[in-house]
Amino acid sequence: MNEYIPDLIFDWIDDGHEVRWVHDAADLPSGDMCFFLSYGKIVDKNQLMQHRNNLVVHASDLPKGRGWSPLTWQILEGKDKIPVTIFEAEESVDSGPIYEKSFVSFSGNELIEELRCGLANIIADLCRNFVNRYPDSAKLGLEQEGEPSFYPHRDPEDSKIDVQKSLLSQFNLLRTVDNNKYPAWFEFKGRKFFLKITANSIFNDAKE
């Protein structure tokens, strides 16, 4: 989200809000609202008490899909319309009252940076909506209903390609790998090989 947060901050500053951006919850000053965006650590009760509202945006239909990398897991499940939920942070992971849900839709051929961009735009919209309607927006929280499910952490093993299967059958996996941080890979005759995937831009495709 770091690439997309500055625009959000400048919009709020232009609207007259005082905004601080930190990368560690331990450095948080007190305030009215705090948005934890792509923050991978659990925040304790004392830190949450520094703000009237603590907001998280999660790419799943909560309480289904709590946990880690929900966008990636759902793309791997073959989904291209992904629910995105803004909710109140609590000590228990992804369990707080829900304020609003939206959706991000994909065509099925986007790679990881395009997936991240689409999701980031929806996240920013949900954050703007919450602030624009505050404090009324903070009164609309609904408790989560239904049996929760959880996505696990992903690790390098999850980016492994099965050389016995077709690329088409593994295309959703290729869409979600990061060429630098967690590239696709496979083993062959005792060696480990890495694959990088890129695509022509829409602009280049149009010219061709």
Side-chain angles (χ1 to χ4, degrees):
M1 279 297 295
N2 285 341
E3 180 180 347
Y4 305 94
I5 287 176
D7 286 342
L8 194 57
I9 290 175
F10 292 141
D11 286 346
W12 284 334
I13 291 175
D14 287 344
D15 289 339
H17 298 290
E18 183 178 345
V19 185
R20 298 179 181 90
W21 182 16
V22 300
H23 296 276
D24 191 326
D27 298 328
L28 281 171
S30 60
D32 293 316
M33 291 169 278
C34 181
F35 292 86
F36 295 93
L37 303 180
S38 293
Y39 189 68
K41 300 179 182 178
I42 295 176
V43 181
D44 65 37
K45 182 178 180 180
N46 290 333
Q47 291 169 325
L48 293 175
M49 288 178 63
Q50 291 183 271
H51 300 86
R52 295 178 184 175
N53 293 98
N54 298 276
L55 293 311
V56 177
V57 186
H58 190 74
S60 80
D61 189 14
L62 293 174
K64 296 179 181 179
R66 293 178 181 176
W68 309 98
S69 305
L71 173 63
T72 294
W73 286 116
Q74 288 174 90
I75 294 296
L76 291 171
E77 292 167 357
K79 298 176 182 177
D80 280 311
K81 185 176 182 180
I82 309 296
V84 187
T85 305
I86 185 169
F87 64 99
E88 188 73 21
E90 294 188 348
E91 286 187 273
S92 181
V93 175
D94 300 336
S95 64
I98 292 170
Y99 294 111
E100 186 179 358
K101 288 186 181 181
S102 186
F103 291 88
V104 56
S105 295
F106 301 106
S107 64
N109 63 4
E110 298 89 348
L111 301 183
I112 188 64
E113 289 302 328
E114 296 163 308
L115 295 172
R116 288 170 176 163
C117 180
L119 177 59
N121 289 332
I122 297 298
I123 290 174
D125 287 344
L126 287 169
C127 294
R128 288 190 183 97
N129 290 344
F130 188 89
V131 172
N132 289 342
R133 299 199 302 262
Y134 193 80
D136 291 337
S137 56
K139 303 173 184 177
L140 302 177
L142 298 175
E143 295 297 325
Q144 296 185 26
E145 296 182 354
E147 188 70 23
S149 62
F150 292 85
Y151 287 122
H153 276 287
R154 291 184 63 78
D155 59 37
E157 189 70 20
D158 293 309
S159 297
K160 184 178 181 179
I161 297 294
D162 187 340
V163 295
Q164 302 299 325
K165 296 181 179 179
S166 69
L167 286 179
L168 180 60
S169 69
Q170 300 174 89
F171 182 62
N172 281 336
L173 174 57
L174 291 170
R175 292 173 65 195
T176 60
V177 299
D178 185 305
N179 289 335
N180 298 313
K181 296 179 180 178
Y182 40 90
W185 62 278
F186 64 93
E187 290 180 332
F188 184 67
K189 292 188 176 181
R191 298 186 70 187
K192 190 171 184 178
F193 298 86
F194 294 92
L195 299 177
K196 289 191 175 183
I197 181 169
T198 60
N200 286 344
S201 67
I202 295 175
F203 177 74
N204 286 337
D205 288 344
K207 286 179 28 177
E208 294 174 357

